[in-house]
Amino acid sequence: MLQVSYIRENKEEVLARLAVRNFAEPQLVEEVIHLDDQRKRTQAQADELLAKGNAAAKQIGELMRNGKKEEAEAIKAETSSNKEEVKALQDELAQIEHDLQQRLVQLPNLPHKSVPAGKTPEDNEVVLVNGDLPSLPKSALPHWELAAKYNLIDFELGVKITGAGFPVYKGKGAKLQRALINFFLAEADKAGYEEMMVPHLVNEASGFGTGQLPDKEGQMYHVGLDNLFLIPTAEVPVTNLYRDVILKEEELPIKNCGYTPCFRREAGSYGAHVRGLNRLHQFDKVEIVQVVHPDHSYDVLEQMSAHVQGLLQKLGLQYRVLRLCGGDMGFTSALTYDMEVFSAAQERWLEVSSVSNFETFQSNRLKLRFKGKEGKTQLPHTLNGSALALPRILASILENFQTESGIKVPACLVPYTGFDFIN
RNA sequence: GGAAGAAUGGCAGAGCGGUCGAAUGCGGCGGUCUUGAAAACCGUUGACUGUAACAGGUCCGGGGGUUCGAAUCCCUCUUCUUCCGCCA
């Protein structure tokens, strides 16, 4: 959530930066400022009356103590109308605040200056391409056929017990999953991230804190009976660990990682390009999260990007890094890098990580603050990234490392799998 | 699921309906003393809003009510603790 004070003081800049996103409702900016004016005015009126009432009450108290009942009664009579006026103003204020909030939450984060304008993924900027694209023989198979051939994943079984998009990993397929999770966690640990094991269901307040709610509830599975949501990413529970917290400056940076399954409804995204592991309703992911001083957040973003790239290099996968354009960036992000792995058999790039700086957008919603050296509280920046999401990594390992006789397991995983070849 | 109790500042813990944003202790910060440190002593130490700056306003788990006035009384929700039941 943007800060009203910032919007007020930098209206033109806010509008210009929202335009980079092709934000469709710039009039909301003006409305926010207008409502905030109203809010201040009404608040001031109510406060004045309250002050009057407080003073009267104090006076009555004093008079009563001194036994001057009649004088007290006289003041009492005067103040009775005060009460209704206050009530009316406060009701009005509540309405204004509601309207203000309702608009405020519709404003997406402001893109960083380096974010290219653009509408579609075509407009994303390719920052770097690492490695030569692998070329496979004509006989190469896509991962869903390899998964069947070597009995690693059973999509049909998943359909039987749950539905499409919930695969069952079997045997060496399951072990490979577990190995990837352990490898990613071990690497995060080495990089100084403290591991957190968090709930996979979150409440509404958490969904709001990281920006999934309101408006994006259609993307999450909702447990109606208890009003809880299955997490779409570990970002939600991990970042919300710091909701309503005032940190000391010396506690920064906070570095957390966590493995969780992720649940996404992916409504409306059926059809082409969702075969096999390309798009699932449940998948596994290791996430890294940082809470940092605003001065360092873009350095940290580069570090997190480097960490993710390091994982891909160790796995021996060819990848590229994209700087997302304004139109393709998530609602809450100021700058996002996507890492994509080249899937040789499908001959297409698959997104395996997304690393973002949210600046103060989430901390403002979370009421996450830190107390600076001079004792002033301010909002830190939050960042997170997938390190990494498993299914597409698994897909590209299967496809890119396939041979006539089986699949080679990347060397960095062998200590975790206990085998180096699948056949 | 049933019964009882509780929820106050970073923590612990007071708080007859008016003088309570809140005693006291610990912790934190600043200072005196000291070569330095500890101890001792003195001072200081919540958040939000608002203002050019003062002032003012709000907050004692959340919401509502009674009252001129609520941390204190009433209703309700939530959470926690203890006991019982069930259970991986």
Side-chain angles (χ1 to χ4, degrees), chain A residues 99-119:
Chain A
D99 292 349
L100 176 61
Q101 180 76 359
Q102 191 258 327
R103 281 162 180 77
L104 214 45
V105 298
Q106 289 183 59
L107 293 175
N109 203 355
L110 303 178
H112 183 259
K113 291 175 183 58
S114 68
V115 171
K119 293 185 175 160

Side-chain angles (χ1 to χ4, degrees), chain A residues 1-2 17-18 20-23 106-112 115 118-119 124 210-212 216 219 235 323-338 351 354-359 361-362 365 384:
Chain A
M1 197 161 64
L2 301 177
R17 287 168 76 182
L18 286 176
V20 172
R21 281 185 178 271
N22 309 299
F23 183 59
Q106 289 183 59
L107 293 175
N109 203 355
L110 303 178
H112 183 259
V115 171
K119 293 185 175 160
N124 293 336
T210 32
Q212 281 73 24
K216 280 159 218 58
Q219 295 173 16
E235 163 192 352
R323 190 196 308 266
L324 295 194
C325 73
D328 201 30
M329 220 167 46
F331 183 78
T332 52
S333 175
L335 178 58
T336 296
Y337 291 122
D338 269 9
E351 181 193 332
S354 195
V355 185
S356 301
N357 186 356
F358 306 97
E359 297 193 3
F361 196 84
Q362 290 183 330
R365 289 181 159 230
N384 68 46

Side-chain angles (χ1 to χ4, degrees), chain A residues 278-411:
Chain A
N278 289 344
R279 174 162 270 126
L280 300 171
H281 287 305
Q282 177 179 332
F283 64 95
D284 297 287
K285 180 158 66 67
V286 171
E287 186 81 359
I288 52 177
V289 173
Q290 291 209 38
V291 179
V292 307
H293 192 286
D295 293 350
H296 310 140
S297 66
Y298 281 94
D299 293 337
V300 169
L301 182 68
E302 296 305 319
Q303 287 165 24
M304 291 171 75
S305 164
H307 176 77
V308 171
Q309 291 182 52
L311 299 176
L312 294 169
Q313 286 161 14
K314 281 179 185 161
L315 288 168
L317 294 170
Q318 294 72 25
Y319 67 89
R320 66 179 188 178
V321 179
L322 303 177
R323 190 196 308 266
L324 295 194
C325 73
D328 201 30
M329 220 167 46
F331 183 78
T332 52
S333 175
L335 178 58
T336 296
Y337 291 122
D338 269 9
M339 283 67 177
E340 296 186 330
V341 154
F342 193 73
S343 160
Q346 300 182 69
E347 294 190 316
R348 53 186 283 238
W349 293 97
L350 300 175
E351 181 193 332
V352 292
S353 177
S354 195
V355 185
S356 301
N357 186 356
F358 306 97
E359 297 193 3
T360 60
F361 196 84
Q362 290 183 330
S363 55
N364 191 214
R365 289 181 159 230
L366 292 160
K367 292 196 173 57
L368 162 58
R369 290 156 290 175
F370 73 96
K371 198 174 280 232
K373 297 272 192 294
E374 323 80 46
K376 210 175 57 176
T377 61
Q378 48 182 317
L379 299 170
H381 287 187
T382 61
L383 304 97
N384 68 46
S386 351
L388 286 163
L390 295 232
R392 294 172 189 162
I393 291 290
L394 182 58
S396 44
I397 287 174
L398 297 183
E399 293 180 6
N400 296 9
F401 300 146
Q402 63 182 298
T403 68
E404 286 296 319
S405 54
I407 293 155
K408 282 185 281 190
V409 175

Side-chain angles (χ1 to χ4, degrees), chain A residues 97-317:
Chain A
E97 280 176 346
H98 172 268
D99 292 349
L100 176 61
Q101 180 76 359
Q102 191 258 327
R103 281 162 180 77
L104 214 45
V105 298
Q106 289 183 59
L107 293 175
N109 203 355
L110 303 178
H112 183 259
K113 291 175 183 58
S114 68
V115 171
K119 293 185 175 160
T120 67
E122 318 290 288
D123 300 319
N124 293 336
E125 177 193 324
V126 179
V127 179
L128 73 85
V129 181
N130 183 279
D132 298 326
L133 297 193
S135 60
L136 294 174
K138 281 277 184 299
S139 59
L141 300 172
H143 70 265
W144 52 87
E145 288 183 27
L146 293 164
K149 179 175 175 185
Y150 297 111
N151 199 25
L152 302 172
I153 306 171
D154 194 324
F155 292 97
E156 295 308 314
L157 259 185
V159 170
K160 180 173 96 176
I161 59 171
T162 306
F166 295 88
V168 173
Y169 301 90
K170 296 159 67 172
K172 282 186 172 170
K175 282 184 175 156
L176 197 49
Q177 283 285 106
R178 201 148 45 77
L180 282 164
I181 292 164
N182 285 331
F183 170 64
F184 293 150
L185 283 173
E187 292 293 312
D189 181 67
K190 270 193 240 168
Y193 292 89
E194 186 187 5
E195 184 177 349
M196 296 286 176
M197 265 199 166
V198 290
H200 301 164
L201 288 165
V202 294
N203 57 28
E204 261 183 296
S206 295
F208 177 81
T210 32
Q212 281 73 24
L213 296 174
D215 295 344
K216 280 159 218 58
E217 57 263 79
Q219 295 173 16
M220 289 190 287
Y221 287 97
H222 183 216
V223 183
L225 203 55
D226 298 291
N227 196 24
L228 296 172
F229 297 85
L230 276 88
I231 56 171
T233 157
E235 163 192 352
V236 180
V238 174
T239 312
N240 271 280
L241 295 173
Y242 305 98
R243 173 152 48 84
D244 280 316
V245 168
I246 302 181
L247 298 161
K248 297 194 193 96
E249 184 166 346
E250 55 267 31
E251 291 178 275
L252 301 177
I254 285 177
K255 300 174 76 175
N256 286 162
C257 65
Y259 154 74
T260 68
C262 302
F263 304 89
R264 299 188 182 179
R265 297 190 60 237
E266 302 290 1
S269 66
Y270 301 97
H273 289 175
V274 301
R275 267 196 96 170
L277 295 169
N278 289 344
R279 174 162 270 126
L280 300 171
H281 287 305
Q282 177 179 332
F283 64 95
D284 297 287
K285 180 158 66 67
V286 171
E287 186 81 359
I288 52 177
V289 173
Q290 291 209 38
V291 179
V292 307
H293 192 286
D295 293 350
H296 310 140
S297 66
Y298 281 94
D299 293 337
V300 169
L301 182 68
E302 296 305 319
Q303 287 165 24
M304 291 171 75
S305 164
H307 176 77
V308 171
Q309 291 182 52
L311 299 176
L312 294 169
Q313 286 161 14
K314 281 179 185 161
L315 288 168
L317 294 170

Side-chain angles (χ1 to χ4, degrees), chain A residues 48-70:
Chain A
E48 199 180 321
L49 288 179
L50 278 171
K52 229 191 270 180
N54 287 344
K58 205 172 235 177
Q59 225 177 329
I60 290 170
E62 214 157 309
L63 291 168
M64 295 293 266
R65 242 175 297 122
N66 298 329
K68 297 179 181 169
K69 271 229 171 90
E70 281 135 53

